Amino acid sequence: MDSLQGILHGLAVAATPMHLMYTLFGVFIGTMISHLPGIGPSAGIALLIPVTFGMDPISALMMLTGIYYGCMYGGAVTAILLNTPGDAAAVMTVLDGYPLARKGRAAATLAIAAVSSFMAGMMGVTALAFVAAPLAAVALHFGPTEYFALICFALSTVGALTGDSLGKGMMAVFLGLGLATVGIDLQSGVPRFTLGLTQLQDRVNFLVVVVGLFAIAEVSRMVEGTLGGTLHTVRVEGKVWFTRQEWRRARPAIFRGSAVGFICGAAPGLGGTLAAMLSYVLEKKISKHPEEFGHGAIEGVAAPEAATNADTCGAFVHLLALGVPGSGATAVIMGAFIMYGIQPGPMLFHTQPDLVWGLIASMYIGNIMLLLLNLPLVGILSRILYVPSGVLLCLILVIASAGVYSFSNDVFDLFLALFFGIVGYAFRKFDIPKAPLLFGLILGHTLEQSFRQALTISNGDPSVFLRSPIAASLLGCAAISVAASVWSRRRKSSKLVREVEEQVAAAHRLANERH
């Protein structure tokens, strides 16, 4: 009842004309930023913090928070239309969103992404209001040992993303883990695998890798198709809105993705990338048509988009309840809190009720604003695919190059992106999945640091990973996941062999009858 009264009080605070204006401004700027690969919510919030000097703290924090979830809301647009994820979390949306767009369902896919984001955002804000404190208490039990086990489990599920070859998928994972070791070692301060290049001392930039693997590799596919005469303009087919059948398939995925995303957001350090990955894997595991994933399954868009947006709400659990940022963007927002002389934490609900409940209520209003902003643009944005291939090719290159160069203003990043574009082209030719490499790169640094911290705490005793019930359970789940992937592929291959043998035998019988 206290939470319900708090929400009603917050709605009264957030519904004032001034606060509505700043919420609208924040979500609009966030949506625009999400269409530009390379900026992201953290950088977008940091760039606009100076604009808030002298503003009312409640208005300023509503605007900055609106930028955060506005960025996550619109990240699917370039992923679906241009095969270019704007951030790490949008990688999962690419896997099925772009194939759906190539089938002429771009408008419907954008619509389902917008509705998924809206529903997940509303459910996430509700969960934030009612279960923030209990979830924060549970997440405090996670230390380096538990994080290492959790990431091992996440990487073990990569079998669901690897197509028909588990070996190729694991090769991509380990290549990503190897890339994650490039840079200066945080414990010893020694450069590792940098080839003497100072630009690699600050690790391999994720944006460079993702632009190369997806955007530049897509440009190479378009050039190859144009020269071969096999590339044709994609037309939007059917209704702009999604069909009843698509909605029936997407609806349960949205609810499951929202739950996974909020839980991952409530655990500090996991982020929307892991949430999107786990929700995608879950949907493929329980789907009646797992073979459609990667080729245009609507659940493969709805679940990751829901998880990503619910994660933003979960990230505020630690910020508001414990005063600990749960993600990079909430760390920047926490800096804005401190700049205004406000200390987030358990006492914030008592000392600043207008701020806390007004901020939570503004997320409800902001999600409605985002839906009203994005849905009318679905038909217009989908027409990007009508652009001639030569113009579209240049558009992708311009967006990708601008995003890569703006990150550190270094031409070296453009050459590195070109290198990974060649790698992405080779991956496509040899049917090697790209997503496992990206997840190895994203999670590899945290995996290594958690492993070393756990061994440091235990004085080098590896049994520390089995003494923790949570870590032992997660490692057991990881082993079961790998074994299940191997067993299912062997079963599938043996079934295929039996079918081939039966067909050969039937052909022999038919030939004998003719003789």
Side-chain angles (χ1 to χ4, degrees):
M1 290 303 297
D2 290 341
S3 297
L4 183 59
Q5 291 174 0
I7 292 174
L8 294 175
H9 175 68
L11 287 172
V13 175
T16 61
M18 184 64 68
H19 292 159
L20 287 174
M21 183 186 71
Y22 281 112
T23 301
L24 177 61
F25 181 71
V27 297
F28 177 77
I29 293 297
T31 304
M32 294 299 102
I33 289 174
S34 68
H35 297 164
L36 302 173
I39 298 181
S42 300
I45 295 169
L47 287 172
L48 287 175
I49 281 181
V51 179
T52 66
F53 289 162
M55 286 174 54
D56 170 53
I58 298 179
S59 300
L61 292 170
M62 284 181 179
M63 186 185 76
L64 296 177
T65 304
I67 295 172
Y68 180 26
Y69 56 83
C71 276
M72 309 311 291
Y73 209 97
V77 174
T78 54
I80 292 170
L81 297 179
L82 302 179
N83 199 35
T84 307
D87 54 24
V91 170
M92 302 311 302
T93 306
V94 167
L95 299 182
D96 285 281
Y98 188 69
L100 280 168
R102 300 301 301 174
K103 293 178 180 178
R105 299 296 294 159
T109 307
L110 288 172
I112 204 72
V115 173
S116 301
S117 300
F118 169 73
M119 292 180 61
M122 299 299 276
M123 288 186 284
V125 176
T126 303
L128 171 63
F130 285 95
V131 299
L135 270 179
V138 172
L140 283 177
H141 289 86
F142 271 65
T145 305
E146 289 75 19
Y147 277 119
F148 171 79
L150 178 61
I151 294 174
C152 284
F153 171 63
L155 291 177
S156 71
T157 62
V158 79
L161 309 174
T162 55
D164 296 327
S165 175
L166 182 62
K168 291 180 180 178
M170 297 310 295
M171 181 190 73
V173 169
F174 285 110
L175 181 58
L177 292 174
L179 288 173
T181 63
V182 175
I184 293 179
D185 181 17
L186 292 181
Q187 293 192 356
S188 65
V190 177
R192 302 182 302 180
F193 312 116
T194 60
L195 304 177
L197 299 172
T198 57
Q199 293 91 337
L200 293 178
Q201 289 184 1
D202 193 25
R203 301 165 57 188
V204 177
N205 182 8
F206 166 80
L207 176 67
V208 173
V209 179
V210 76
V211 165
L213 285 179
F214 286 95
I216 297 181
E218 175 63 15
V219 167
S220 68
R221 184 196 68 81
M222 293 175 66
V223 171
E224 186 180 36
T226 301
L227 295 177
T230 58
L231 186 67
H232 305 288
T233 302
V234 178
R235 296 290 175 183
V236 177
E237 298 177 355
K239 297 180 180 179
V240 173
W241 197 247
F242 43 82
T243 63
R244 288 186 178 181
Q245 182 182 2
E246 289 171 333
W247 174 242
R248 281 197 299 268
R249 293 180 58 175
R251 184 174 53 197
I254 293 171
F255 286 101
R256 287 188 290 263
S258 300
V260 172
F262 186 80
I263 293 171
C264 287
L270 299 187
T273 305
L274 188 60
M277 176 183 175
L278 292 178
S279 65
Y280 186 93
V281 170
L282 175 63
E283 290 306 313
K284 186 173 181 180
K285 289 289 186 183
I286 65 177
S287 174
K288 295 180 181 178
H289 306 284
E291 69 281 355
E292 294 183 9
F293 281 74
H295 303 284
I298 198 68
E299 304 98 313
V301 175
E305 282 301 302
T308 301
N309 285 273
D311 173 83
T312 62
C313 301
F316 278 91
V317 169
H318 273 259
L319 179 64
L320 298 178
L322 298 176
V324 178
S327 65
T330 52
V332 180
I333 293 175
M334 183 175 176
F337 269 89
I338 296 172
M339 183 183 72
Y340 281 102
I342 302 170
Q343 180 59 51
M347 295 303 296
L348 189 64
F349 285 81
H350 301 286
T351 60
Q352 298 277 356
D354 286 359
L355 172 62
V356 174
W357 292 112
L359 190 62
I360 292 174
S362 73
M363 295 183 186
Y364 281 113
I365 298 172
N367 272 285
I368 296 172
M369 290 177 174
L370 282 167
L371 186 69
L372 297 177
L373 281 173
N374 282 271
L375 279 184
L377 296 177
V378 163
I380 299 173
L381 290 173
S382 63
R383 292 316 191 265
I384 290 177
L385 298 177
Y386 284 24
V387 175
S389 58
V391 177
L392 189 60
L393 185 149
C394 295
L395 178 66
I396 295 174
L397 279 179
V398 168
I399 294 175
S401 301
V404 169
Y405 184 78
S406 65
F407 189 83
S408 58
N409 298 327
D410 195 340
V411 178
F412 174 80
D413 288 340
L414 295 175
F415 287 104
L416 194 60
L418 179 61
F419 168 76
F420 281 106
I422 297 172
V423 173
Y425 180 79
F427 271 34
R428 186 170 63 85
K429 285 296 184 182
F430 292 102
D431 197 24
I432 301 173
K434 302 172 185 177
L437 184 150
L438 292 175
F439 288 116
L441 174 63
I442 295 165
L443 301 175
H445 182 71
T446 306
L447 179 75
E448 180 190 9
Q449 289 302 111
S450 299
F451 179 74
R452 295 172 74 172
Q453 289 169 359
L455 289 182
T456 301
I457 294 171
S458 65
N459 293 321
D461 183 8
S463 66
V464 66
F465 298 105
L466 301 178
R467 291 201 299 268
S468 167
I470 298 176
S473 300
L474 288 170
L475 290 174
C477 291
I480 293 171
S481 177
V482 173
S485 296
V486 174
W487 178 77
S488 64
R489 279 172 171 76
R490 286 188 176 181
R491 183 183 178 187
K492 184 177 179 181
S493 60
S494 61
K495 182 179 178 181
L496 182 63
V497 169
R498 285 198 302 270
E499 290 177 353
V500 171
E501 290 177 348
E502 290 174 358
Q503 291 176 359
V504 171
H508 280 300
R509 285 196 301 269
L510 183 61
N512 292 332
E513 289 174 359
R514 287 179 177 176
H515 284 299

